[in-house]
Amino acid sequence: MRRGWWLVRWLGTGMAILSLLTHSWGQDTEDWQYEECKLSRPGPPATIVTIDEESPNGTVLVGNMQINGRPQDPGRTISLLLLDNYDYWVILDPTRQRLYLNSTGRVLDRDPPNSITTIVVQIQCTNELVGTIILHEVRIVVRDKNDNTPRFQQPRYYVAVNELTPVGTTIFTGFAGNNGATDIDDGPNGHIEYSILYNPNDPASNGTVSVANTLSGHITLAERLNYEERTRYLVLVQANDRAPYPPNRRTATTTLTVDVLDGDDLGPMFLPCVLVNNTRDCNPITYHVAIPEFTEPSKLNPLNVTPSIRAVDMDRNIQPPSDRPGIHYFILVGHPNTYPEYFSLNRTTAELHVLQPISRDVYQRFTLIIKAEQDNGHPLPAYADLIIEILDENNQAPYFQFATYQGYVSESSPVGTTISASANLTAPLGVIALDNDIEELDPGETPTKDPMVKITLNDYTTIFGLTPTGLIRYLRLLKPVDREKQMTYTFTMVSSDGVQQSIPVTVNILVLDANDNTPTFPEVSYSVEVFTDMQQGETVLQLTAADADEGLNGLVTYEILAGAQGDFIINNRTGRITVAPGVTLTVGRSYALTVKASDNAPETQRRSSITTVYIEVLPPNNQSPPRFPLFTYSLEVSEAMRIGAILLNLQATDRENDPITYRIVSGDSQKVFNLSETIGLLLLDQPLDRETTDKYRLIVTASDGNPGGTSTTTVNIVVTDVNDNDPKFNITTPTNFTVQEEQADLFIGEVTATDPDAGPNGQVRYRIVNHPDLFTISENGSIYTRVPLDRELRSQYSLVVEASDGAVDPRRTSLTLSIQVTDIDDNSPMFSQQTYVVNVPENSPVGTVVLKLSAVDSDLISNVTYRIKTESAQQLFSLNPITGELAVLQTLDFENLAAMGMGAFYTFQVEAVDQGGVMPPGQATVTVRITDMNDFSPIFVQDLYKGLVAPNAEKGTVITTVLAEDQDPPGTPASFVRYRVDLDRSPYSGSIFDVEEVSGRVITKVNLNEEPSVTFKLFVIAFDDGEPVKTNSTLVEITVLQPSRIPIFTQEEYKFSPVSELAPFGKRVGTILAAAVNQTIFYSIVAGNELGHFQVNNRTGVISTAKPLDYENVTSYVLRVQADSMVVVMSNLRAPSKTNTAKVFIEVLDENDHPPVFTRKLYIGGVTEDTKIFSSVLKIVATDKDTGNYSAMAYRLIIPPTPEGQDSFVIETYTGIIKSAMMFRNMRRSYFKFEVIATDDYGIGLSSSAEVVVSVVNALDMQVVVSTVPPTLVEEKKEELIRILERHVQDQIPGAKVIVEAIGPRRHGDGFELEDYSKTDLMVYAIDPLTNRAISRQELFKFLDGNVLDINKEFQPHLGEGGRILEIRSPDIVASVKKAAQAVGYTEGALLALAIIIILCCIPAILIVMVTYKQFKERQAECAKTARIQMALPPGGKAPPAAAPSANLYEELGDNSMRRGYGRQELSMESGIDPGQDYYTQDYYNYDQGYDLPQFGSRRRLIPPMYDEYGEVIMEDDGYYYSGPETARKKRIKLVVDRENETSSTGEESTTDTQWNRPPNSNINGNVYLAQNGSIVRTRRLPHPNNLKGGSPCRLGKQFKKLDKLGVTHEEPPPVISIEGSGINTENGTGSCSPSDVDVNLNTRSSCGSLGSTNNELKTFGSKTSIAKALIDRNNIGPCVSDEQETCVDNHKSSRETLECHSDHTLSDEDELWMGPWNSLHIPMTKL
């Protein structure tokens, strides 16, 4: 039992233990499930990490969130989800519990405007086991990176500093606040500090100032400033951030301009100031004044001081000018000491006054020292000397009647001779000296009183004397004169009255020559040896006699009186003795010749002398001395001759050829010359100076060394002058002159200059340099006034007189004269103002001075008094005549004056009279305004104003508005109310609140930070501008609102979707929303809606449109909205704050509401005849006010369709460039007119249209503008240049359009084959908008060439310096044609002679023709008869059926399909050819590539082809198939084509056509072209390679005439042959056909006669099928009859041309004329 019980007990215990373990394990398992999603790490629940801004995309933010659980399959226990991931900056990797940065396409920027400082996301973890959710916050803090540079808010900063500012003073605080540099980085990276940098452009600036506080950037003065040395400093300021690591710091720089202001640191200075050695110090100045003795002060005051006493402050730029000190003047000390009794100096004006008359016997001079100092007590005065001369009572200086005197005297005159006034010595020279103290003379008046003055000469007093007394004094000769010693005497004279002296005058005395010198031989006798072998004419001796006289008196004549025995002769002019002709000298003979030298004076005065020449004849073998070729040599040498120059060759000859030695014996004591001892060359050894020595007489010997072997010659050297001396003014010439004002041609004084040079180099001329318009100077140096002077404008002139010699390159000397202008009474007094306006308060007391008038007389002596001119004003006002004070005489009442109708102002005239003068008084207008007194004070509308303000209101927040009214008359100052805060009564409130002075708005003065519910009391004063000022005050109670009463907007800024500008009224834009506790919110727009385009619902906050929007005017709006509590609004109060205001940004969406606008209504362009297809013609531009695609244009053209369906122009859809789509050959002077459409939005929007006119031109319509600049510059400035040319053309033809054809290098040369790329050819033409055609080349030339000067002036700014138009010429091709024609014209004479010879030779041929004429007529009749028979027969010999339809042209060509679909059509065409057009004279087009079908009518003749027996086309010719042209008029042709009957007519007659039979399946080949429209056009044969020059001269002359003359276009009607029955119907005769031969090229050799040749006008018009075809058999030379028929019809003219010119490959004259455009109408010419 026990053993069982024990077992039971142990089993129960085991079961209990097992149950307990099972429960415990289950409990543990349940707790583990709830641990999922929890953080496995300790610490705070939020995960906080940091990251640098601008980190790259994919940066790991959190490596592992450490969240419990398995987030991935299999066995997933948790799920992770990322929440609150605004802007998707974070990416979650749930399997790795890792967060990454997502910055794809953007940058994580901590700085504004993004300002991303923190990113907060939530990681939602869901426990998949139990379903619980846990949120884990992750806060990512963005660290700042120094990635922004500091930026200064201003580009430059400026400060002005007075030079007296002490060192250390803060001069600039402009970097404070946000006005300096800012850095949007955070922390130290955004903190700014300032420093001064070295400025290389202003090195001194960095030492002048310093930074006092590096954080605030305050600049202080480091050195003292000096305005006089420097006025501006450029300081370079650097701002850098304070990044922790200095190398990473960023910097910015700016310039601080420091302007130095002038301060009062210098004293005054007297003017004029002459600086000492370029310093700022002035040389001492002395003022002068002279007054006559015993003169009343009233006649002298104020004294005329020279120069005028004036001092100025050396600190001249003190600002404002009102701060500049005044100058006071004093007499500091003087000598003699009694000067205060006689003189006084005005303290402010510096006028010097004499106090009493002065006796010169007591005082002759006063020397005073005057002082000038500033009125502000500045310690630096200025000093000057003042010298006052006391003049004798006789204060008028004597003067001479003339400024210069010219006298003449003969050198033979005895002592006592009176000097004459003329060269013929008939009238004496009278000298008159006058003195105004004795007698005052008017101009031209003759003096009568002897002034008793003393006249003295400064030189030559021993030679000339002056009679001591008498009114007229005479110069007498005191000592004989000799002209040969001195020719002229120049001296000066002065006259004196014992006190004063006159101005010196110059006397020139010329000594006239007298025959007082006898020709003199140097030797009394001469001995010379001659030899028997001397030939006739050989020189024996050269005699020279000198005569010092001049002219004929000095001209010497020689003659042999006796002893020559016929063996010797002498030259009467040169004195050369030679062997007589035919004389043979005999040995041993001797001769004694008596030679006479005489002058050429009159016979009675002639003088002469004689000499003896002894001649001995020796045999030729005797020893003889060397002989000079001449006994006397004369030469002139310039004084500028260089040293070493060869002057003369003195080589002598010795008969024995012994060596010769040369020496200068005498005449060269200074060794100026050097004579070569061996060869006899005379050289210059020293410089010459004509002014020192003007001539030399050298005695030269030549010796052969043998006794008696020396000969002598004389060399006379005259030194000629060069201009090496400047004219010099006489040192005694006075330099100070006076002249009276207001007189012209008044003598001032005289200057004298001399020049020691000779001839023109010594002739002195005078010139006024600086005032030639005011003064003039005569040839002798006398100075006069040219025009009247005005002392009041200028009282002193520094006149520069220049003396120059008469050389080609003259030398000059100048002299400065001081000319003082003396005063006369010639000015009326002038008021300081012409109009005075003064305000006088009403009820002013009697005698109140209301105005002080001031008038000044510019004359030196004046006595101005004042008076009222208007009599009525004399009852109300009084004017003090001396002081000019205007006072009221009676009380003036504003209301009474208004009631009397006098108004509030009174105007009258006042006068200023010069009592001692003769001039009329000066006048001025005075207007006295009676002002109303300030009777009323401003009154506030409310006694108490209340306002609310937010606790955090910003500075400038408007709280309320006060209003005060003033009952004074509107518009008066007393009614103008202003406001201010009463700081005395509200000191604290006044520190945080303010009132705007004009509007009365009460605003916050600072950013508030006040407690709620606090009430401030602000006292506001209202005041007016009246006299006196009246005020009133009111109280404003300002309560700080509870924050709970202030709504808070959900956003600070609202940005809504763009609103269409076409949005209707009431269109909802967006909704703003603000929240408040238990408050009804009232919304309003407070700013940005001044135009009222938007409205807001006050209750819902819905913003909608209120007016139409216009994107083109306003593209966006920024509205300021405010949300207020309704309780506050109902109280008429508002409380703006940061939270209850927000910004609303509204963008306007552009719509297509504006159509395109073309830049012009009509576009004009041009194309040339050779323009290629798809060439640009012109550009169309249309603009649209809309934006985006709505302004993108698509262009298209509307051109009338052509029969061919081909457009003449196309346009690029999106560029607007019009291009050609066809060829324009032969279409000159035609035009196209069409329409261009522009559609916006790339062609699907709105459209507009404009007209386009394109005219066809060629080179004949153009001109070439040749300019001096390269083509690249012309191309660059093309638009500007064309506008200038267009403007000048439009002056003649309004609206004309100038178009550029080409820009290229200048072409020149005979054939224009040379190119110059430094110049440009600009080829242009102009279109007339009235005719739509080109202006003629001649007219365009006239318009441009006639204004080329004006065009060049307008071209200058665009072409640069030197850029201009060289010429305007015709194009190259035109000039080439003219030149070629002229060249050919030279052969016309030869051709005429050749023609005459041909005519003479052709006479026998004419006889032969006459004999055969009859045979020819018979053959012609036979041919015509045969043609009639064959044409009457049907093809194949059968008659056609009556009703058989006639085949049309296309059937003839084998294409019957083109006939279907055509009914009866009526086509009209009108020639568009201008009768005045010019034509080319040669075919410029080559058709070797096939014929381009002309788009318009053509004058090319179209002929039917001719076929051979195989059906091949064999004919190619320019034969005529129509009658002659009608001249000088356009012709309108109307074609009616009947497709059923194949008939056509001109409206006159129509006949049924017969069928034209031809072989089937025939091909059109050769040069016949079939167009798509059915036209048959035959291409022309290729032109001659040189059609112009290869032609005959006669033909070329015709073409040249067509080029120069206006071509006349002829309509060329087609030839008509009407067939009726079997005959040919003609009106005036029967046509006949002559035999015709056709060569291989189908050139007709002979032609049929014309049908109806006598007809001038064809009457019928038949279709081509109605013309019988007369065939010509090539193998048959007989009559033109064959199986096939072809017409052989032509007029006489074409027949003759075909016969005579069949070998001429050039085109005929008619073939050169083109039809031109037929208004885009394409008509098959073959149907004509």
Coordinates of all heavy atoms in Angstrom, one line a residue, residues 1531-1562:
K1531 N -0.9 96.6 -127.5 CA -2.0 96.1 -128.3 C -2.7 95.0 -127.5 O -2.0 94.1 -126.9 CB -1.6 95.6 -129.6 CG -2.8 95.1 -130.5 CD -2.3 94.8 -131.9 CE -3.5 94.3 -132.7 NZ -3.1 94.0 -134.1
R1532 N -4.0 95.1 -127.3 CA -4.7 94.1 -126.6 C -5.3 93.1 -127.6 O -6.0 93.5 -128.5 CB -5.8 94.7 -125.8 CG -6.6 93.8 -124.9 CD -7.6 94.5 -124.1 NE -8.4 93.6 -123.2 CZ -8.0 93.2 -122.0 NH1 -6.9 93.7 -121.5 NH2 -8.8 92.4 -121.3
I1533 N -5.0 91.8 -127.4 CA -5.5 90.8 -128.4 C -6.4 89.9 -127.6 O -6.1 89.4 -126.5 CB -4.3 90.0 -128.9 CG1 -3.2 91.0 -129.5 CG2 -4.7 89.0 -129.9 CD1 -2.0 90.3 -129.9
K1534 N -7.5 89.7 -128.2 CA -8.5 88.8 -127.6 C -8.7 87.6 -128.5 O -9.0 87.7 -129.7 CB -9.8 89.5 -127.4 CG -10.9 88.6 -126.7 CD -12.1 89.5 -126.4 CE -13.1 88.6 -125.7 NZ -14.4 89.4 -125.4
L1535 N -8.3 86.4 -127.9 CA -8.4 85.2 -128.7 C -9.7 84.4 -128.2 O -10.0 84.3 -127.0 CB -7.2 84.3 -128.4 CG -6.1 84.4 -129.4 CD1 -5.4 85.7 -129.3 CD2 -5.1 83.3 -129.2
V1536 N -10.4 83.9 -129.2 CA -11.6 83.1 -129.0 C -11.3 81.7 -129.6 O -11.1 81.7 -130.9 CB -12.9 83.7 -129.5 CG1 -14.0 82.7 -129.2 CG2 -13.1 85.0 -128.9
V1537 N -11.1 80.7 -128.8 CA -10.8 79.4 -129.4 C -12.0 78.5 -129.3 O -12.6 78.3 -128.2 CB -9.6 78.8 -128.5 CG1 -9.2 77.4 -129.1 CG2 -8.4 79.7 -128.5
D1538 N -12.4 78.0 -130.4 CA -13.5 77.1 -130.5 C -13.0 75.7 -130.7 O -12.4 75.4 -131.8 CB -14.4 77.5 -131.7 CG -15.8 76.7 -131.7 OD1 -15.9 75.7 -130.9 OD2 -16.6 77.2 -132.4
R1539 N -13.1 74.9 -129.7 CA -12.5 73.6 -129.7 C -13.3 72.6 -130.7 O -12.7 71.7 -131.1 CB -12.4 73.0 -128.3 CG -11.5 73.7 -127.4 CD -10.1 73.6 -127.9 NE -9.2 74.3 -127.0 CZ -7.9 74.4 -127.3 NH1 -7.4 73.9 -128.4 NH2 -7.1 75.1 -126.4
E1540 N -14.5 73.0 -130.9 CA -15.3 72.1 -131.7 C -14.9 72.3 -133.2 O -14.8 71.4 -133.9 CB -16.8 72.3 -131.5 CG -17.2 71.9 -130.1 CD -18.7 72.2 -129.9 OE1 -19.3 72.7 -130.8 OE2 -19.2 71.9 -128.8
N1541 N -14.9 73.6 -133.6 CA -14.6 73.9 -135.0 C -13.2 74.2 -135.2 O -12.8 74.5 -136.4 CB -15.5 75.0 -135.5 CG -17.0 74.6 -135.3 OD1 -17.4 73.5 -135.6 ND2 -17.8 75.6 -134.9
E1542 N -12.3 74.3 -134.1 CA -10.9 74.6 -134.3 C -10.7 75.9 -135.0 O -10.0 76.0 -136.0 CB -10.2 73.5 -135.0 CG -9.8 72.3 -134.1 CD -8.9 72.7 -133.0 OE1 -8.1 73.6 -133.2 OE2 -9.1 72.1 -131.9
T1543 N -11.5 76.9 -134.6 CA -11.3 78.3 -135.2 C -10.9 79.2 -134.1 O -11.2 79.1 -133.0 CB -12.6 78.7 -135.9 OG1 -13.6 78.8 -134.8 CG2 -13.1 77.8 -136.9
S1544 N -10.3 80.3 -134.6 CA -9.9 81.3 -133.6 C -10.0 82.6 -134.4 O -9.8 82.7 -135.6 CB -8.5 81.1 -133.1 OG -7.6 81.1 -134.1
S1545 N -10.2 83.7 -133.7 CA -10.4 85.0 -134.4 C -10.0 86.1 -133.4 O -9.9 85.8 -132.2 CB -11.8 85.2 -134.8 OG -12.7 85.3 -133.7
T1546 N -9.9 87.2 -133.9 CA -9.6 88.4 -133.1 C -10.9 89.2 -132.9 O -10.8 90.4 -132.5 CB -8.5 89.3 -133.8 OG1 -9.0 89.7 -135.1 CG2 -7.2 88.5 -133.9
G1547 N -11.9 88.7 -133.3 CA -13.2 89.5 -133.1 C -13.6 90.2 -134.4 O -14.6 90.7 -134.5
E1548 N -12.7 90.1 -135.4 CA -13.0 90.8 -136.7 C -13.6 89.8 -137.7 O -14.5 90.1 -138.4 CB -11.8 91.5 -137.2 CG -11.2 92.5 -136.2 CD -9.9 93.1 -136.8 OE1 -9.5 92.7 -137.8 OE2 -9.4 94.0 -136.1
E1549 N -12.9 88.7 -137.8 CA -13.4 87.7 -138.9 C -12.9 86.4 -138.5 O -11.8 86.2 -137.9 CB -12.8 88.1 -140.2 CG -13.3 87.3 -141.4 CD -12.8 87.7 -142.7 OE1 -12.2 88.8 -142.7 OE2 -12.9 87.0 -143.7
S1550 N -13.7 85.4 -138.7 CA -13.3 84.0 -138.4 C -13.7 83.1 -139.5 O -14.8 83.2 -140.1 CB -14.0 83.6 -137.1 OG -13.7 82.3 -136.7
T1551 N -12.9 82.3 -139.9 CA -13.1 81.4 -141.0 C -12.8 80.0 -140.5 O -12.1 79.7 -139.6 CB -12.2 81.7 -142.2 OG1 -10.9 81.6 -141.8 CG2 -12.5 83.1 -142.7
T1552 N -13.4 79.0 -141.3 CA -13.2 77.6 -140.9 C -11.9 77.2 -141.5 O -11.5 77.5 -142.6 CB -14.3 76.8 -141.6 OG1 -15.6 77.3 -141.1 CG2 -14.2 75.3 -141.2
D1553 N -11.2 76.4 -140.6 CA -9.8 76.0 -141.0 C -9.9 74.7 -141.8 O -10.8 73.9 -141.6 CB -9.0 75.7 -139.7 CG -8.8 77.0 -138.9 OD1 -9.0 78.0 -139.5 OD2 -8.5 76.8 -137.7
T1554 N -9.0 74.6 -142.7 CA -8.8 73.4 -143.5 C -7.9 72.5 -142.7 O -7.0 73.0 -142.0 CB -8.3 73.7 -144.9 OG1 -7.1 74.3 -144.8 CG2 -9.4 74.5 -145.7
Q1555 N -8.0 71.2 -143.0 CA -7.1 70.3 -142.3 C -5.8 70.3 -142.9 O -5.6 70.5 -144.0 CB -7.7 68.9 -142.4 CG -6.9 67.9 -141.6 CD -7.6 66.5 -141.6 OE1 -8.5 66.3 -142.4 NE2 -7.1 65.5 -140.9
W1556 N -4.8 70.2 -142.0 CA -3.4 70.2 -142.4 C -2.9 68.7 -142.3 O -2.9 68.1 -141.3 CB -2.6 71.0 -141.4 CG -1.1 70.9 -141.7 CD1 -0.5 70.8 -142.8 CD2 -0.1 71.0 -140.7 NE1 0.9 70.8 -142.7 CE2 1.2 70.9 -141.3 CE3 -0.1 71.2 -139.3 CZ2 2.4 70.9 -140.6 CZ3 1.1 71.2 -138.6 CH2 2.3 71.1 -139.3
N1557 N -2.6 68.2 -143.4 CA -2.2 66.8 -143.5 C -0.7 66.6 -143.3 O 0.0 67.4 -143.9 CB -2.7 66.2 -144.9 CG -2.5 64.7 -144.9 OD1 -2.4 64.1 -143.9 ND2 -2.6 64.1 -146.1
R1558 N -0.3 65.6 -142.7 CA 1.1 65.4 -142.4 C 1.3 63.9 -142.3 O 0.3 63.2 -141.9 CB 1.6 66.1 -141.2 CG 0.8 65.9 -140.0 CD 1.5 66.3 -138.8 NE 2.6 65.3 -138.5 CZ 3.4 65.4 -137.5 NH1 3.2 66.3 -136.6 NH2 4.4 64.5 -137.3
P1559 N 2.4 63.3 -142.5 CA 2.6 61.9 -142.3 C 2.4 61.5 -140.9 O 2.6 62.2 -140.0 CB 4.1 61.7 -142.7 CG 4.5 62.9 -143.5 CD 3.6 64.0 -143.0
P1560 N 1.8 60.3 -140.7 CA 1.5 59.8 -139.4 C 2.8 59.5 -138.6 O 3.8 59.2 -139.2 CB 0.6 58.6 -139.6 CG 1.0 58.1 -140.9 CD 1.4 59.3 -141.8
N1561 N 2.6 59.4 -137.3 CA 3.7 59.0 -136.4 C 4.9 59.8 -136.5 O 6.0 59.3 -136.3 CB 4.0 57.5 -136.6 CG 2.8 56.6 -136.3 OD1 2.0 56.9 -135.4 ND2 2.6 55.6 -137.1
S1562 N 4.7 61.0 -137.0 CA 5.9 61.9 -137.1 C 6.3 62.4 -135.7 O 5.5 62.6 -134.9 CB 5.6 63.0 -138.0 OG 4.6 63.8 -137.5

